[in-house]
Amino acid sequence: MLKKRVGGSCLIVQFLISYTAVIMYFVSGLDTAIIWVAGGTLMVVVTFLYAKLMAPNGIALENHRSYLIGHTIISAFTGMAWGAMAIYQTEFELEYTVFIGCLLVSSITMGGVLPSSVYRPGYVALSLFSVLPFSVFLMINAPPPFGLVGFAMMIYFAFAMFLSARVEIETRDTIAARQKRALTEQVIQQNKTIQRASEEKTRFLAATGHDLSQPLQSQGFFMQALRDTLDQPDQIELFNQVQESWRAQKELLQGIVDVSRIDSGAIVAKPVMVNITKLCEKLAREFLSDDSVEIELIASFENIESVTDPVLFSRVIRNILSNARKFASVGGKVEFSLRHVEDHAVIEIFDNGPGIHKDNLARIFDEYVQLDGANSRNPKGLGLGLAIVKRLCKLLDIKMAVDSELGTGTRFTFRLPIESDDWVPKHEYQSAFQHFDKSHLVVIVDDDPSVLASMTQLISSWNCQVISALNQKDAIQLVSRTSAIPVLLIIDKQLDSGEDGIDLIARLREEVNETIPAILMSGHMGNIDSLEAGPEVEFLNKPVEPDEIWKMLNQIISRAGLAIDLED
């Protein structure tokens, strides 16, 4: 601020020199006025050149102290010049010269008590060498009553020092407030930049997820339909390999999408009363169903029920079991247990793999971190599994701990509060079946022909009648011409020409005058609010597993009291 304001300050001081010189001319004569103009202007030029020549690249942390010291020294010499001139021109026989002296020292020091004053040490040096010498001179040499003027100047000096201290505090507060506003503005701009980047990332992932989920969706249903036509062992083995590759692609895509959806709050837990034991047994059977590697599973489950989201909880445990299978030693073991500890259900999963160095225990939960494992037999993924586990545990209020030792293995521990809530519906688990004994009508609407064809072919193979349409108009026309009432609507959220799947569900229900259960599918990230989607609507993200469709269809038929015979 000193360096920036030097031009304006010098102009003000030069004005003071000029008008006091005019007064001196009329009181003391031309010689005194010329001496004053020359001396005063010289100090103005020195002050101006110092500010311009010193620190030419600006004031920084490295040079600010030396700059301020130089400024204070120049201020002291300026004070000497003004004080000396005030004493030099004073003649007690000419009363006006006393007035001019007081005017000189008070004019040059007045700026230090104004709110615009910047640097107090410079002002103190200026006042000390101008006001104080002149005041002492008057008190010692001036005859009465001019001695009292010297005393008054001393009071003025003391008062100016007091005011300058307060001005310095206010100036520092003003600078701090200005810096705070500037920093706040920077933070606001940075937050806006981060928000824009986050929104762009979300839009990119949403578009990518939608575009990739569509072909994966159709592939999954086509493969499931193809599976029923294979009867040769080598064909089935080759099909299983293709299906595993498809599942790997699906899991990679789902991992990227899930991380973004959890962070954005799109995934919301739906707690129900769950038999944790049955859930763990189901996950253990899934683990044992993969016999590609000989790994012993030691399972021990106590009978425990609690309130949680079974789908998200299964995702947590499934991810950890998948890691355990991946890193367990060949011919090794995985321990999977559930026990009751005080008011918590404690789930532990241990594998005797290579273990994790203690320095890496925190890193394993970061996105895209994949540690090397000597015994790992599977190709690397994206390193999102544990990042998803960490987020889901926070969402479900599950306490997670990990303990690992190199060469010994890794143990994950999950603590789930045990709650008893009679109003929470129970969640039961059933095995997936493939065929219904009786034929039921299902309506499928999707603007992607491959997705529509694959789902139609597979659901038809379950002995269901299927009405399939690419758009809203065709769907409503086909349903209006059918006497049968559909048991399930499977609708894509975003159809061509801006058509909305939620609106289509409402119109189809209005057409048959019944609240038909519906599945709303979308390749975009984010869940649909239940109030927005309406009653009896289940939201599924693409790519949807065929088993998910079958389970919901079976639950709907069973809930409606329609007797069916199921076969494997």
Side-chain angles (χ1 to χ4, degrees):
M1 291 174 68
L2 284 173
K3 190 174 176 66
K4 182 180 179 181
R5 294 180 178 181
V6 65
S9 299
C10 288
L11 286 175
I12 293 174
V13 174
Q14 191 62 41
F15 170 75
L16 295 175
I17 293 171
S18 300
Y19 95 83
T20 53
V22 172
I23 298 175
M24 286 182 188
Y25 169 74
F26 288 105
V27 175
S28 302
L30 180 62
D31 294 341
T32 302
I34 292 175
I35 292 173
W36 168 231
V37 170
T41 302
L42 175 63
M43 293 312 303
V44 170
V45 171
V46 170
T47 302
F48 181 80
L49 291 178
Y50 175 81
K52 292 300 180 181
L53 298 179
M54 288 297 292
N57 296 324
I59 304 298
L61 188 63
E62 297 77 16
N63 62 7
H64 82 283
R65 189 174 297 278
S66 60
Y67 182 88
L68 292 175
I69 291 174
H71 169 78
T72 304
I73 293 173
I74 291 176
S75 297
F77 278 106
T78 300
M80 290 179 188
W82 284 68
M85 192 63 204
I87 294 173
Y88 171 77
Q89 62 86 43
T90 299
E91 297 179 20
F92 296 114
E93 292 80 9
L94 300 174
E95 298 177 351
Y96 281 108
T97 59
V98 178
F99 166 74
I100 294 172
C102 293
L103 182 64
L104 283 176
V105 295
S106 60
S107 295
I108 192 63
T109 57
M110 186 61 69
V113 298
L114 298 177
S116 59
S117 177
V118 176
Y119 188 55
R120 185 168 184 261
Y123 171 73
V124 171
L126 179 68
S127 300
L128 190 64
F129 288 97
S130 60
V131 178
L132 199 59
F134 181 66
S135 300
V136 173
F137 168 77
L138 291 179
M139 292 176 66
I140 294 175
N141 299 295
F146 295 118
L148 293 177
V149 175
F151 180 73
M153 291 303 297
M154 289 291 289
I155 294 177
Y156 164 76
F157 174 76
F159 185 66
M161 290 298 99
F162 171 75
L163 286 182
S164 67
R166 295 191 61 178
V167 168
E168 181 187 36
I169 295 174
E170 292 176 359
T171 301
R172 290 180 180 274
D173 291 343
T174 301
I175 294 173
R178 185 182 299 118
Q179 291 175 334
K180 185 177 180 180
R181 284 196 300 269
L183 290 174
T184 301
E185 184 63 28
Q186 290 180 9
V187 171
I188 291 173
Q189 293 302 322
Q190 290 176 353
N191 286 340
K192 288 181 179 179
T193 301
I194 293 172
Q195 184 177 0
R196 284 195 298 268
S198 177
E199 290 172 353
E200 290 173 2
K201 182 194 75 171
T202 300
R203 285 194 296 269
F204 170 77
L205 290 176
T208 302
H210 179 270
D211 293 344
L212 291 179
S213 65
Q214 293 290 86
L216 285 175
Q217 169 89 358
S218 58
Q219 289 172 19
F221 280 83
F222 276 133
M223 285 192 299
Q224 191 64 40
L226 176 63
R227 174 66 177 81
D228 295 336
T229 68
L230 303 179
D231 54 8
Q232 299 297 321
D234 56 340
Q235 294 176 337
I236 295 175
E237 181 179 356
L238 181 60
F239 172 84
N240 290 336
Q241 293 175 0
V242 173
Q243 190 174 48
E244 283 302 313
S245 177
W246 175 83
R247 290 186 185 279
Q249 295 178 60
K250 175 180 177 292
E251 290 173 1
L252 291 181
L253 173 63
Q254 195 64 48
I256 296 174
V257 172
D258 281 352
V259 168
S260 297
R261 292 176 63 220
I262 295 171
D263 289 344
S264 65
I267 291 183
V268 179
K270 299 177 181 178
V272 294
M273 183 64 74
V274 180
N275 188 310
I276 306 294
T277 307
K278 290 184 178 180
L279 176 56
C280 290
E281 290 173 350
K282 175 179 179 290
L283 296 172
R285 287 194 298 271
E286 288 182 8
F287 183 91
L288 292 172
S289 65
D290 184 359
D291 57 0
S292 58
V293 181
E294 294 183 359
I295 297 177
E296 180 185 4
L297 177 65
I298 302 175
S300 174
F301 307 130
E302 295 182 7
N303 187 23
I304 298 175
E305 287 190 348
S306 184
V307 175
T308 189
D309 185 311
V311 176
L312 300 182
F313 181 79
S314 297
R315 183 73 183 276
V316 170
I317 303 302
R318 189 177 286 113
N319 280 10
I320 300 301
L321 286 174
S322 176
N323 269 19
R325 173 180 293 282
K326 181 177 180 180
F327 290 101
S329 304
V330 176
K333 65 177 180 179
V334 171
E335 298 177 2
F336 182 17
S337 66
L338 167 67
R339 68 181 191 276
H340 190 289
V341 178
E342 296 178 349
D343 57 347
H344 284 76
V346 177
I347 300 98
E348 290 188 338
I349 300 175
F350 169 79
D351 68 81
N352 65 341
I356 305 169
H357 194 279
K358 62 180 181 180
D359 294 338
N360 291 326
L361 284 178
R363 290 183 57 236
I364 62 175
F365 296 101
D366 294 338
E367 298 91 341
Y368 311 110
V369 172
Q370 190 83 338
L371 302 180
D372 293 330
N375 297 324
S376 178
R377 299 165 299 280
N378 298 328
K380 284 189 176 182
L382 288 181
L384 292 172
L386 292 180
I388 293 173
V389 166
K390 179 180 178 180
R391 287 165 167 80
L392 290 179
C393 284
K394 182 178 180 180
L395 184 64
L396 297 174
D397 193 26
I398 295 175
K399 306 299 181 184
M400 176 179 60
V402 56
D403 180 41
S404 187
E405 186 176 342
L406 288 176
T408 301
T410 304
R411 183 183 304 275
F412 284 87
T413 304
F414 302 92
R415 295 176 63 86
L416 173 66
I418 296 177
E419 302 178 16
S420 178
D421 200 334
D422 296 336
W423 64 266
V424 180
K426 291 197 173 185
H427 185 90
E428 300 294 339
Y429 297 92
Q430 303 181 33
S431 300
F433 296 89
Q434 298 298 321
H435 298 90
F436 294 98
D437 183 60
K438 292 185 178 181
S439 180
H440 303 283
L441 179 60
V442 177
V443 176
I444 306 173
V445 184
D446 197 298
D447 56 9
D448 189 308
S450 61
V451 172
L452 189 65
S454 61
M455 294 185 67
T456 300
Q457 183 172 351
L458 180 62
I459 295 177
S460 296
S461 70
W462 298 343
N463 193 29
C464 290
Q465 300 177 49
V466 177
I467 291 179
S468 59
L470 291 168
N471 53 60
Q472 185 177 123
K473 180 180 178 181
D474 291 347
I476 295 174
Q477 286 182 351
L478 291 171
V479 170
S480 65
R481 296 172 182 173
T482 305
S483 59
I485 302 297
V487 296
L488 178 64
L489 307 176
I490 305 176
I491 312 296
D492 190 22
K493 172 66 174 67
Q494 185 174 341
L495 301 168
D496 282 343
S497 303
E499 296 177 351
D500 191 291
I502 296 177
D503 295 336
L504 178 55
I505 291 173
R507 294 192 61 181
L508 289 174
R509 288 174 171 177
E510 183 180 353
E511 183 67 33
V512 298
N513 199 28
E514 284 194 21
T515 305
I516 308 169
I519 294 176
L520 190 65
M521 301 185 303
S522 176
H524 291 289
M525 293 185 301
N527 282 331
I528 304 299
D529 187 88
S530 58
L531 296 177
E532 176 189 355
E536 294 289 328
V537 177
E538 182 75 17
F539 181 79
L540 296 178
N541 278 292
K542 293 181 178 179
V544 179
E545 289 271 10
D547 281 353
E548 293 181 274
I549 302 293
W550 190 95
K551 287 178 181 178
M552 186 169 180
L553 182 57
N554 182 46
Q555 290 173 359
I556 291 169
I557 295 173
S558 301
R559 189 170 64 237
L562 301 175
I564 56 172
D565 294 325
L566 306 174
E567 63 181 23
D568 230 335

